[in-house]
Amino acid sequence: MAMQRYLVDYPRLSAETLAQWAVVPSSVASDALNRCQSMDSRIKPMVPGMRLCGQARTVVSMPGDNSMVHHAVSLAEPGEVIVVAGGGLDDVALAGEWVVRCTKRRNLGGLVVDGSVRDLHEIRTLGVPVFAKGAVSRGPHKNFGGKMDVTASVGNVPVNPGDVILGDEDGVVVVPLQLAEEALKQSLALLERERQWTARIEAGDTLVEVLGVPPLEIVECERV
């Protein structure tokens, strides 16, 4: 299979807009998208506390091959997130120290792999946001092929170039670019509502009162 890069054009979000997205938790973004768009729950930050925010550059790899990942981290623009469809193969690492070093050197936004990575010590040291299903020592092959900047299924969610990728310790959410403007408005409104809920709970209100949960139905029991 050839290694192919598809030439696509999509709107680049402003630094101000991305800064607004950066404070939105993945859970809030998912709620704003009808509680959808969350990747497979196994895709998590490789270092606790890592956060991820940026527009996607997609990679579809041949299973066990990471040659297209090398191309992607060499071609992506600063702030963009490399999102890799790994073909469901978890026992081969599709990225490691050198991919992450290049990601950092080129000031990319981070890396999401629907599969495994390796060199966790170096990933911790480099501080680049890396999200994956896990780590394994076995490395990948090269030059069997793949595609870049196409629609990719990553963690059971379709990802297109330019989509907004948010990641934190709860996981990764994909915000389709065509929905991003409205989803941001809803996300910021949800954050404000949650701040109000927090204030009420700290003031002594119950969750039933705060969330408006319907009252319990009381069932009378006969005495025996």
Side-chain angles (χ1 to χ4, degrees):
M1 179 180 177
M3 289 186 286
Q4 299 175 329
R5 176 192 176 191
Y6 285 63
L7 297 178
V8 295
D9 190 22
Y10 56 85
R12 266 63 174 183
L13 299 179
S14 68
E16 292 76 15
T17 298
L18 288 172
Q20 288 182 295
W21 271 120
V23 303
V24 176
S26 64
S27 57
V28 171
S30 178
D31 286 354
L33 293 163
N34 199 29
R35 303 202 168 185
C36 296
Q37 297 301 118
S38 295
M39 287 187 182
D40 186 322
S41 63
R42 292 173 293 173
I43 299 177
K44 289 290 193 291
M46 290 294 95
V47 179
M50 282 182 164
R51 291 183 62 88
L52 184 74
C53 176
Q55 290 187 264
R57 298 296 296 273
T58 59
V59 173
V60 177
S61 294
M62 287 290 286
D65 181 283
N66 78 339
S67 51
M68 286 306 302
V69 177
H70 288 221
H71 280 290
V73 298
S74 301
L75 291 168
E77 299 294 329
E80 293 179 328
V81 177
I82 307 301
V83 184
V84 183
L89 188 63
D90 296 345
D91 58 358
V92 175
L94 292 182
E97 176 184 355
W98 306 115
V99 167
V100 177
R101 281 191 182 278
C102 187
T103 300
K104 181 174 183 176
R105 179 67 181 83
R106 303 195 67 251
N107 200 29
L108 305 185
L111 184 69
V112 178
V113 179
D114 189 357
S116 296
V117 297
R118 67 177 182 177
D119 303 328
L120 284 185
H121 174 75
E122 288 75 15
I123 289 174
R124 293 189 186 98
T125 301
L126 290 167
V128 175
V130 176
F131 286 63
K133 287 182 177 177
V136 67
S137 57
R138 182 182 178 185
H141 294 288
K142 301 285 188 296
N143 304 322
F144 283 98
K147 298 179 180 181
M148 180 179 171
D149 290 335
V150 295
T151 301
S153 177
V154 184
N156 301 320
V157 178
V159 185
N160 286 289
D163 287 349
V164 178
I165 307 297
L166 300 177
D168 53 32
E169 291 189 284
D170 286 335
V172 180
V173 165
V174 181
V175 183
L177 185 56
Q178 68 270 26
L179 303 178
E181 183 176 356
E182 181 59 29
L184 180 57
K185 292 177 183 177
Q186 293 188 31
S187 295
L188 295 177
L190 285 172
L191 280 177
E192 177 56 32
R193 187 175 70 178
E194 289 189 357
R195 281 191 284 268
Q196 295 173 10
W197 287 350
T198 299
R200 290 183 61 186
I201 290 169
E202 293 299 326
D205 287 353
T206 68
L207 274 176
V208 171
E209 294 169 327
V210 171
L211 300 181
V213 179
L216 292 171
E217 178 183 348
I218 304 301
V219 180
E220 295 283 353
C221 296
E222 294 183 6
R223 294 181 181 275
V224 179

